[in-house]
Amino acid sequence: MARKKRSRSIVREFDEYFGSGTLEDWQRLCHDVGLDETPSSITQCRRAPKTVHINIRDLLDAVKQGRQPQRFANVHQLVQYTVSTRKFYPINQVKEMGPVKALLRRML
């Protein structure tokens, strides 16, 4: 029960952080994940985070603290970190074209 509640909480927290999905929301996400260039369209913003390997829960914590989240050199390092810290994002809550989809990586 506590795990389900925590999962709903992280989903709600990300939705509040991201906003309604405007270009500005997508550009803020690109900036917050540490991309050097800010894409000029939503389509470009959707593609850009696929080059960055970060933990979504760490992203939310970093934003609250006004810092950049830890970036991993590759998916393998991100997976090792996520498994060891158990900082998963609930896969059943991912929207098809949403921002979380752009940040998700295959874990197992």
Side-chain angles (χ1 to χ4, degrees), residues 28-64:
R28 184 182 65 251
L29 174 65
C30 289
H31 174 267
D32 289 346
V33 299
L35 294 174
D36 293 330
E37 293 185 30
T38 303
S40 58
S41 73
I42 289 177
T43 301
Q44 292 171 338
C45 288
R46 282 187 177 140
R47 291 183 188 133
K50 293 179 182 187
T51 64
V52 178
H53 307 295
I54 62 163
N55 181 279
I56 296 169
R57 290 175 58 183
D58 284 353
L59 168 65
L60 294 171
D61 290 340
V63 167
K64 286 181 209 170

Short mmCIF file of all heavy atoms in Angstrom, two decimals, residues 28-64:
data_model
loop_
_atom_site.label_atom_id
_atom_site.label_comp_id
_atom_site.label_asym_id
_atom_site.label_seq_id
_atom_site.Cartn_x
_atom_site.Cartn_y
_atom_site.Cartn_z
N ARG A 28 11.81 24.08 -20.39
CA ARG A 28 12.27 24.03 -19.00
C ARG A 28 12.81 22.64 -18.67
O ARG A 28 13.86 22.50 -18.05
CB ARG A 28 11.14 24.41 -18.04
CG ARG A 28 11.59 24.48 -16.57
CD ARG A 28 10.46 24.81 -15.60
NE ARG A 28 9.47 23.75 -15.58
CZ ARG A 28 8.25 23.84 -16.08
NH1 ARG A 28 7.83 24.95 -16.64
NH2 ARG A 28 7.41 22.83 -16.03
N LEU A 29 12.10 21.60 -19.12
CA LEU A 29 12.56 20.24 -18.89
C LEU A 29 13.94 20.03 -19.53
O LEU A 29 14.85 19.50 -18.90
CB LEU A 29 11.56 19.23 -19.45
CG LEU A 29 12.00 17.77 -19.39
CD1 LEU A 29 12.13 17.29 -17.95
CD2 LEU A 29 11.02 16.88 -20.16
N CYS A 30 14.10 20.47 -20.77
CA CYS A 30 15.39 20.32 -21.46
C CYS A 30 16.49 21.05 -20.69
O CYS A 30 17.60 20.52 -20.54
CB CYS A 30 15.29 20.84 -22.89
SG CYS A 30 14.30 19.77 -23.96
N HIS A 31 16.19 22.22 -20.21
CA HIS A 31 17.16 22.97 -19.42
C HIS A 31 17.48 22.23 -18.12
O HIS A 31 18.64 22.08 -17.73
CB HIS A 31 16.62 24.37 -19.11
CG HIS A 31 17.50 25.14 -18.19
ND1 HIS A 31 17.30 25.14 -16.82
CD2 HIS A 31 18.58 25.92 -18.42
CE1 HIS A 31 18.23 25.88 -16.26
NE2 HIS A 31 19.02 26.37 -17.20
N ASP A 32 16.45 21.76 -17.43
CA ASP A 32 16.63 21.12 -16.13
C ASP A 32 17.39 19.79 -16.20
O ASP A 32 18.03 19.41 -15.23
CB ASP A 32 15.28 20.91 -15.43
CG ASP A 32 14.67 22.22 -14.96
OD1 ASP A 32 15.38 23.25 -14.93
OD2 ASP A 32 13.47 22.22 -14.63
N VAL A 33 17.33 19.11 -17.34
CA VAL A 33 18.10 17.87 -17.47
C VAL A 33 19.52 18.15 -17.94
O VAL A 33 20.33 17.24 -18.08
CB VAL A 33 17.42 16.82 -18.39
CG1 VAL A 33 16.07 16.41 -17.83
CG2 VAL A 33 17.34 17.29 -19.82
N GLY A 34 19.83 19.42 -18.17
CA GLY A 34 21.20 19.81 -18.47
C GLY A 34 21.58 19.87 -19.93
O GLY A 34 22.77 19.84 -20.26
N LEU A 35 20.59 19.99 -20.81
CA LEU A 35 20.93 20.12 -22.23
C LEU A 35 21.52 21.50 -22.48
O LEU A 35 21.02 22.50 -21.96
CB LEU A 35 19.69 19.90 -23.09
CG LEU A 35 19.12 18.49 -23.04
CD1 LEU A 35 17.82 18.42 -23.81
CD2 LEU A 35 20.12 17.49 -23.62
N ASP A 36 22.56 21.56 -23.29
CA ASP A 36 23.24 22.82 -23.56
C ASP A 36 22.42 23.76 -24.42
O ASP A 36 22.38 24.96 -24.19
CB ASP A 36 24.59 22.56 -24.24
CG ASP A 36 25.56 21.86 -23.30
OD1 ASP A 36 25.46 22.08 -22.08
OD2 ASP A 36 26.40 21.10 -23.80
N GLU A 37 21.77 23.22 -25.43
CA GLU A 37 20.96 24.04 -26.33
C GLU A 37 19.48 23.81 -26.04
O GLU A 37 19.05 22.69 -25.79
CB GLU A 37 21.26 23.68 -27.78
CG GLU A 37 22.67 24.05 -28.19
CD GLU A 37 22.91 23.80 -29.67
OE1 GLU A 37 21.96 23.89 -30.47
OE2 GLU A 37 24.06 23.50 -30.00
N THR A 38 18.71 24.88 -26.11
CA THR A 38 17.27 24.78 -25.89
C THR A 38 16.58 24.62 -27.22
O THR A 38 16.66 25.50 -28.07
CB THR A 38 16.74 26.04 -25.18
OG1 THR A 38 17.45 26.21 -23.96
CG2 THR A 38 15.26 25.92 -24.89
N PRO A 39 15.92 23.48 -27.43
CA PRO A 39 15.21 23.27 -28.70
C PRO A 39 14.12 24.32 -28.90
O PRO A 39 13.55 24.85 -27.94
CB PRO A 39 14.60 21.88 -28.53
CG PRO A 39 15.45 21.22 -27.50
CD PRO A 39 15.85 22.32 -26.56
N SER A 40 13.81 24.59 -30.17
CA SER A 40 12.86 25.66 -30.47
C SER A 40 11.45 25.16 -30.79
O SER A 40 10.56 25.96 -31.05
CB SER A 40 13.38 26.50 -31.64
OG SER A 40 13.57 25.68 -32.77
N SER A 41 11.23 23.84 -30.74
CA SER A 41 9.89 23.31 -30.98
C SER A 41 9.61 22.16 -30.00
O SER A 41 10.54 21.56 -29.46
CB SER A 41 9.74 22.80 -32.41
OG SER A 41 10.46 21.59 -32.58
N ILE A 42 8.35 21.87 -29.83
CA ILE A 42 7.97 20.77 -28.94
C ILE A 42 8.52 19.45 -29.49
O ILE A 42 9.01 18.61 -28.73
CB ILE A 42 6.45 20.70 -28.74
CG1 ILE A 42 5.99 21.89 -27.87
CG2 ILE A 42 6.03 19.39 -28.09
CD1 ILE A 42 4.50 21.98 -27.65
N THR A 43 8.47 19.26 -30.79
CA THR A 43 8.99 18.03 -31.40
C THR A 43 10.47 17.86 -31.08
O THR A 43 10.91 16.77 -30.68
CB THR A 43 8.76 18.04 -32.92
OG1 THR A 43 7.36 18.15 -33.16
CG2 THR A 43 9.28 16.76 -33.56
N GLN A 44 11.25 18.92 -31.23
CA GLN A 44 12.67 18.85 -30.91
C GLN A 44 12.88 18.60 -29.42
O GLN A 44 13.78 17.85 -29.02
CB GLN A 44 13.38 20.14 -31.32
CG GLN A 44 13.45 20.34 -32.81
CD GLN A 44 13.96 21.73 -33.17
OE1 GLN A 44 13.88 22.67 -32.38
NE2 GLN A 44 14.48 21.85 -34.38
N CYS A 45 12.05 19.21 -28.59
CA CYS A 45 12.14 19.03 -27.13
C CYS A 45 11.83 17.58 -26.74
O CYS A 45 12.42 17.06 -25.80
CB CYS A 45 11.20 19.97 -26.41
SG CYS A 45 11.70 21.71 -26.42
N ARG A 46 10.91 16.95 -27.45
CA ARG A 46 10.57 15.55 -27.15
C ARG A 46 11.73 14.63 -27.47
O ARG A 46 11.94 13.63 -26.80
CB ARG A 46 9.35 15.12 -27.95
CG ARG A 46 8.07 15.60 -27.37
CD ARG A 46 6.90 14.99 -28.11
NE ARG A 46 5.67 15.42 -27.51
CZ ARG A 46 4.58 15.76 -28.17
NH1 ARG A 46 4.56 15.71 -29.49
NH2 ARG A 46 3.50 16.14 -27.54
N ARG A 47 12.48 14.96 -28.50
CA ARG A 47 13.60 14.10 -28.92
C ARG A 47 14.85 14.33 -28.06
O ARG A 47 15.60 13.40 -27.80
CB ARG A 47 13.95 14.38 -30.38
CG ARG A 47 12.90 13.90 -31.33
CD ARG A 47 13.34 14.14 -32.76
NE ARG A 47 12.24 13.85 -33.67
CZ ARG A 47 11.88 14.63 -34.67
NH1 ARG A 47 12.54 15.74 -34.92
NH2 ARG A 47 10.86 14.29 -35.44
N ALA A 48 15.08 15.56 -27.67
CA ALA A 48 16.34 15.94 -27.01
C ALA A 48 16.64 15.15 -25.73
O ALA A 48 17.77 14.71 -25.55
CB ALA A 48 16.35 17.43 -26.74
N PRO A 49 15.70 14.95 -24.81
CA PRO A 49 16.03 14.24 -23.56
C PRO A 49 16.43 12.78 -23.77
O PRO A 49 16.99 12.16 -22.87
CB PRO A 49 14.74 14.33 -22.74
CG PRO A 49 14.03 15.50 -23.27
CD PRO A 49 14.36 15.53 -24.74
N LYS A 50 16.18 12.23 -24.94
CA LYS A 50 16.55 10.83 -25.19
C LYS A 50 18.06 10.65 -25.19
O LYS A 50 18.56 9.54 -25.09
CB LYS A 50 15.94 10.35 -26.50
CG LYS A 50 14.43 10.26 -26.40
CD LYS A 50 13.80 9.80 -27.68
CE LYS A 50 12.28 9.82 -27.47
NZ LYS A 50 11.56 9.26 -28.56
N THR A 51 18.80 11.74 -25.28
CA THR A 51 20.27 11.66 -25.27
C THR A 51 20.84 11.78 -23.86
O THR A 51 22.04 11.65 -23.67
CB THR A 51 20.87 12.79 -26.14
OG1 THR A 51 20.53 14.06 -25.56
CG2 THR A 51 20.35 12.73 -27.56
N VAL A 52 19.97 12.03 -22.88
CA VAL A 52 20.41 12.24 -21.50
C VAL A 52 19.94 11.08 -20.64
O VAL A 52 18.80 10.64 -20.76
CB VAL A 52 19.82 13.57 -20.95
CG1 VAL A 52 20.20 13.78 -19.51
CG2 VAL A 52 20.26 14.74 -21.81
N HIS A 53 20.80 10.62 -19.76
CA HIS A 53 20.46 9.49 -18.88
C HIS A 53 20.42 10.00 -17.44
O HIS A 53 21.46 10.23 -16.83
CB HIS A 53 21.48 8.36 -19.03
CG HIS A 53 21.67 7.96 -20.45
ND1 HIS A 53 20.66 7.37 -21.20
CD2 HIS A 53 22.73 8.08 -21.28
CE1 HIS A 53 21.11 7.14 -22.42
NE2 HIS A 53 22.36 7.56 -22.50
N ILE A 54 19.20 10.22 -16.94
CA ILE A 54 19.01 10.70 -15.57
C ILE A 54 17.90 9.89 -14.91
O ILE A 54 17.06 9.31 -15.58
CB ILE A 54 18.65 12.20 -15.51
CG1 ILE A 54 17.33 12.45 -16.24
CG2 ILE A 54 19.75 13.07 -16.05
CD1 ILE A 54 16.70 13.76 -15.91
N ASN A 55 17.89 9.90 -13.59
CA ASN A 55 16.82 9.27 -12.83
C ASN A 55 15.71 10.32 -12.65
O ASN A 55 15.98 11.44 -12.20
CB ASN A 55 17.35 8.78 -11.48
CG ASN A 55 16.28 8.10 -10.68
OD1 ASN A 55 15.47 8.76 -10.04
ND2 ASN A 55 16.26 6.77 -10.72
N ILE A 56 14.49 9.97 -12.99
CA ILE A 56 13.37 10.91 -12.94
C ILE A 56 13.13 11.43 -11.52
O ILE A 56 12.89 12.62 -11.31
CB ILE A 56 12.09 10.29 -13.53
CG1 ILE A 56 12.32 10.00 -15.02
CG2 ILE A 56 10.89 11.21 -13.34
CD1 ILE A 56 11.25 9.14 -15.67
N ARG A 57 13.20 10.55 -10.55
CA ARG A 57 12.99 10.99 -9.16
C ARG A 57 14.10 11.94 -8.72
O ARG A 57 13.84 12.92 -8.02
CB ARG A 57 12.86 9.79 -8.24
CG ARG A 57 11.53 9.06 -8.54
CD ARG A 57 11.36 7.80 -7.77
NE ARG A 57 11.43 8.00 -6.34
CZ ARG A 57 11.35 7.02 -5.46
NH1 ARG A 57 11.22 5.78 -5.87
NH2 ARG A 57 11.42 7.26 -4.18
N ASP A 58 15.33 11.67 -9.16
CA ASP A 58 16.43 12.58 -8.84
C ASP A 58 16.24 13.93 -9.52
O ASP A 58 16.61 14.97 -8.98
CB ASP A 58 17.77 11.99 -9.26
CG ASP A 58 18.25 10.90 -8.32
OD1 ASP A 58 17.62 10.68 -7.26
OD2 ASP A 58 19.27 10.26 -8.65
N LEU A 59 15.68 13.92 -10.73
CA LEU A 59 15.39 15.18 -11.43
C LEU A 59 14.48 16.06 -10.59
O LEU A 59 14.74 17.25 -10.40
CB LEU A 59 14.75 14.90 -12.79
CG LEU A 59 14.13 16.12 -13.50
CD1 LEU A 59 15.20 17.14 -13.87
CD2 LEU A 59 13.35 15.69 -14.72
N LEU A 60 13.42 15.48 -10.06
CA LEU A 60 12.47 16.26 -9.26
C LEU A 60 13.14 16.81 -8.00
O LEU A 60 12.93 17.97 -7.63
CB LEU A 60 11.26 15.40 -8.90
CG LEU A 60 10.39 14.99 -10.10
CD1 LEU A 60 9.35 13.99 -9.68
CD2 LEU A 60 9.77 16.21 -10.77
N ASP A 61 13.97 16.00 -7.35
CA ASP A 61 14.69 16.47 -6.16
C ASP A 61 15.66 17.60 -6.52
O ASP A 61 15.76 18.59 -5.81
CB ASP A 61 15.46 15.32 -5.50
CG ASP A 61 14.55 14.30 -4.84
OD1 ASP A 61 13.38 14.64 -4.55
OD2 ASP A 61 15.01 13.16 -4.61
N ALA A 62 16.36 17.44 -7.64
CA ALA A 62 17.33 18.46 -8.07
C ALA A 62 16.64 19.78 -8.38
O ALA A 62 17.14 20.85 -8.00
CB ALA A 62 18.10 17.96 -9.29
N VAL A 63 15.50 19.72 -9.03
CA VAL A 63 14.76 20.94 -9.37
C VAL A 63 14.36 21.68 -8.09
O VAL A 63 14.50 22.90 -8.00
CB VAL A 63 13.52 20.62 -10.24
CG1 VAL A 63 12.58 21.80 -10.33
CG2 VAL A 63 13.96 20.18 -11.63
N LYS A 64 13.89 20.94 -7.10
CA LYS A 64 13.51 21.56 -5.81
C LYS A 64 14.70 22.25 -5.16
O LYS A 64 14.54 23.26 -4.49
CB LYS A 64 12.97 20.50 -4.85
CG LYS A 64 11.62 19.98 -5.17
CD LYS A 64 11.23 18.96 -4.10
CE LYS A 64 10.31 17.94 -4.65
NZ LYS A 64 10.10 16.81 -3.74
#
